[in-house]
Amino acid sequence: MLNYSVDGDGIATIEFDYPGKSQNILNAGSMGAYADTMRKALADPAVKGIVVASAKKDFIAGGDLGEMAGCTDAASFHASINEWHGLMRAIELGGKPVAAALNGTTLGGGLEVALSCHHRVAADNPKARFGFPEVTLGLLPGAGGTQRTPRLTGMQAAAPLLMEGKRIKAAEALKMGLIHAVVPVGEERQAARKWVAEAIASGVKPLQPWDQKGFRIPGGGPGTPNGMQMLMAANAMLREKTYDNYPAPRHILSCVYEGLSTNLDTGLAIESRYFTNLVMSPVSKNMIRSLFFGMNEANKLASRPAGVPPQKYTKIGMLGAGMMGAGIAMSTAAAGIDIVLLDTSADAAAKGKAYAAKQWAKQVARGRMAQEAMDALLARIHPTADYADLKGCELVIEAVFEKREIKADVTKKTEAVIGADAIFASNTSTLPITGLAEASVRPANFIGLHFFSPAEKMPLVEIIVGKATSDATLARSMDYVRAIGKTPIVVNDSRGFYTSRVFGTYVSEGMALLEEGVAPALIDKAGLMAGMPVGPLALADEVSIELVHKIAQQTRADLGTAYVERAADRVAAKMVADLGRLGRKSGAGFYDYPADGQQHATKRLWPGLAEKFPVKTEQPALEEIIERLILVQSVETARCLEEKVLRAPIDADVGAILGWGYPPFRGGPIGWLHTLGLAAAVAALDRLTAKHGPRFAAPAMLRDMAARGERFYPA
Ligand code: NAD
């Protein structure tokens, strides 16, 4: 766990060396070992000074999230944090100089270990990053980070580190005053040791700045005009951005405000309470589960069928050089894979490549990409109208028009050229994969790879397994998704698959509220306050009300008498067929879009809405609207689980967050049911069903789980 040695000059070295892991992490075991070793060194009269170092290539990666996610006993957690604070104060006030040698990345609790040393030397390692990622998982730096950082750097400079989880390089950390020196790689220990030796020789008791007489917070504390102004602005900005859905940044601000109004020891006591509160909160548990463990598992392809050799990709075909095709081509080229971009004419194919060139040129202009790198990327995209060019592709993805006949036609033409082992994938958003596979002579090699728009940016790919799709095809498709750096979730074939189906319920519920006479501004504001990135009506405009209308018509045609009309279908029909308001692309939807540039900032709710959908005098409470917009997604997701469209709850949660920006603080649509507790969730759904109809009806699986006291997740 730790290596300990004392040299002839009485300088001890404590070296973090977590067994069996490539990184050092802090948990009960490693922290306990550090505390014991450090206390031994502080008490040993033969030890005059101490160097803290790492045996790994980085210093410390941070705290053990698994341990924190599973923690349910607030009192014992609080006590253990206070013990840790006690150790850090013993180091600071122990009279022996202690220096940290930071050889690489130093994050979270690792940076806090370093900050409790009197002196910090970092290697000039270009890969090394310093910062506090805690806030991104609903936590705060709870080992003194909120107290020591602003006391070293000033509140203003500390804010992006503490409240946004910004990671910085050694040079910036030095400039901010977070560390004392940057030395060539490999010399950091020697430099730390030299400082310790000199401090011993000077005979002066080493003290942190805050323990010295006359200490002042750089830039002024919370009580100064400067400090007050900064805190007020930070508070307002936070509210505007998060609608107060995220307790972590709010608690961090409180720690800074309250903690810096007093001395360090009281500040640490304040921080440990806020920290304990966050560790126990469902928000941090939700965020750790979905954003950390769930996403890691998905990226590691945990659900990849076993026994299929990994597939390397060198050449991929893309049918359709439209919006999606061009984006997918960009992601593929960026992964170092050659891509044949085919459209109906050479000109149309070239347009797709030109889109890629335009996007990358923006990055070159901003200094984010070198011109040569852009040229190399473009050289990998081969526009064509000739199917013969697809020869040798290991995988071909189609993103042509959403029409069965066209998709069948391109499938046949492609399969005539590509190898028997190659995979054919469809990026359809609505057409069932099993049906599309009927056009294929090798349905076992046919699969759905559903990208999101803009495909070059959006991180999720929903992989759809058709009836005949083989495990090998699934496994090899997952290899492709990983190769282009995106996160896959695997779902079974069904109308709308998973993401479009559930995301659609949010938009539809917004339209149902409109039909009921709820004020449109209230509906969209409630969506934002629920934590969704865009209100449901604004979102309908973005995806186009026309598309909502078309899907409704198609579903009606497909289902016949089994079709149940929804409020959203009536609203979409009225908007599109009667009023000709198709959504943002036509400059007119629920909102009016000014012709010039169609900026988000300048759109306005269409004043005519009030006449077409009269607003009731009595409006529902905001919480009621939020509950509907959120639970309508959860109940549909639960149905997807019951129908086995989804294979695991965590896929639902990861897919929702990455696919349509579902608010991470709720964990995901299933994470939210888990947070409410299943019995309470079923009761809420029963209440909503009685009032608004069967779209809220709890599926039997959920009811049974609630009755049996079961849960979706352990914590
Ligand atoms: P698009 O209209 O921008 O592009 C379609 C392209 O396919 C056009 O360039 C067209 O010329 C080309 N094409 C049409 N017929 C062809 C043929 N026979 N052979 C070769 N090329 C042909 O459409 P898009 O938005 O890129 O959507 C493409 C597919 O992706 C559709 O199936 C759509 O449902 C799906 N999709 C779209 C989105 C989205 O947000 N736009 C998201 C996920 C999936």
Side-chain angles (χ1 to χ4, degrees), residues 320 322-324 343 399-402 406-407 427 429 450-451 453:
M323 196 164 95
M324 296 306 290
D343 210 296
V400 299
F401 296 139
E402 189 76 341
I406 301 183
K407 290 198 189 290
N427 178 47
S429 16
H450 182 207
F451 288 77
S453 174

Side-chain angles (χ1 to χ4, degrees), residues 301-433:
L301 310 187
S303 60
R304 185 185 186 276
V308 183
Q311 163 101 45
K312 287 273 292 169
Y313 287 94
T314 57
K315 185 180 176 192
I316 284 189
M318 186 71 235
L319 310 181
M323 196 164 95
M324 296 306 290
I328 299 169
M330 283 177 76
S331 295
T332 306
I337 302 170
D338 277 314
I339 182 137
V340 179
L341 185 57
L342 184 145
D343 210 296
T344 43
S345 69
D347 274 358
K351 263 194 206 144
K353 183 165 176 172
Y355 172 83
K358 194 170 147 206
Q359 301 305 313
W360 284 325
K362 280 189 207 158
Q363 295 193 36
V364 172
R366 287 190 198 121
R368 293 209 192 120
M369 188 189 279
Q371 182 66 46
E372 304 80 66
M374 168 173 162
D375 295 344
L377 286 179
L378 279 175
R380 292 203 189 102
I381 303 182
H382 312 285
T384 184
D386 184 357
Y387 277 82
D389 291 343
L390 295 173
K391 202 157 181 258
C393 285
E394 294 108 0
L395 160 73
V396 175
I397 307 168
E398 73 77 11
V400 299
F401 296 139
E402 189 76 341
K403 282 241 163 18
R404 280 198 185 86
E405 318 77 66
I406 301 183
K407 290 198 189 290
D409 180 51
V410 302
T411 306
K412 290 199 175 99
K413 285 182 178 148
T414 302
E415 286 184 346
V417 182
I418 57 175
D421 197 33
I423 296 171
F424 189 94
S426 173
N427 178 47
T428 176
S429 16
T430 50
L431 304 169
I433 290 300

Side-chain angles (χ1 to χ4, degrees), residues 156-284:
Q156 185 86 44
L161 291 185
L162 295 173
M163 298 197 33
E164 294 161 24
K166 187 179 169 206
R167 296 169 191 216
I168 56 174
K169 296 183 183 174
E172 202 178 333
L174 179 69
K175 210 165 98 195
M176 285 174 72
L178 210 55
I179 55 178
H180 297 92
V182 179
V183 299
V185 175
E187 292 178 18
E188 62 281 355
R189 264 197 216 198
Q190 206 186 333
R193 194 187 175 285
K194 184 161 170 268
W195 181 87
V196 170
E198 285 170 5
I200 297 169
S202 77
V204 180
K205 180 177 174 176
L207 282 177
Q208 294 272 40
W210 42 86
D211 291 319
Q212 295 175 21
K213 258 217 167 92
F215 168 71
R216 280 174 180 275
I217 295 159
T224 64
N226 229 354
M228 274 194 260
Q229 210 174 18
M230 183 245 146
L231 285 165
M232 263 195 306
N235 221 338
M237 271 155 51
L238 182 64
R239 289 252 163 188
E240 190 195 16
K241 234 163 70 184
T242 67
Y243 293 96
D244 216 13
N245 285 323
Y246 292 83
R250 173 160 41 86
H251 284 2
I252 291 170
L253 262 187
S254 300
C255 285
V256 171
Y257 172 69
E258 295 172 31
L260 269 69
S261 303
T262 174
N263 60 30
L264 185 84
D265 288 300
T266 315
L268 293 173
I270 290 167
E271 183 195 82
S272 66
R273 285 169 182 241
Y274 280 117
F275 184 40
T276 305
N277 178 286
L278 288 181
V279 170
M280 298 302 142
S281 76
V283 170
S284 73

Side-chain angles (χ1 to χ4, degrees), residues 13 25 53 91 121 153-154 158 166 198 287 292 313 353 356 367 413 416 443 470 536 546 608 611 620 670 700:
T13 300
I25 53 165
I91 296 170
V121 184
T153 68
K166 187 179 169 206
E198 285 170 5
M287 291 173 82
F292 188 79
Y313 287 94
K353 183 165 176 172
K413 285 182 178 148
S470 70
E546 188 189 26
E611 190 192 316
I670 295 296

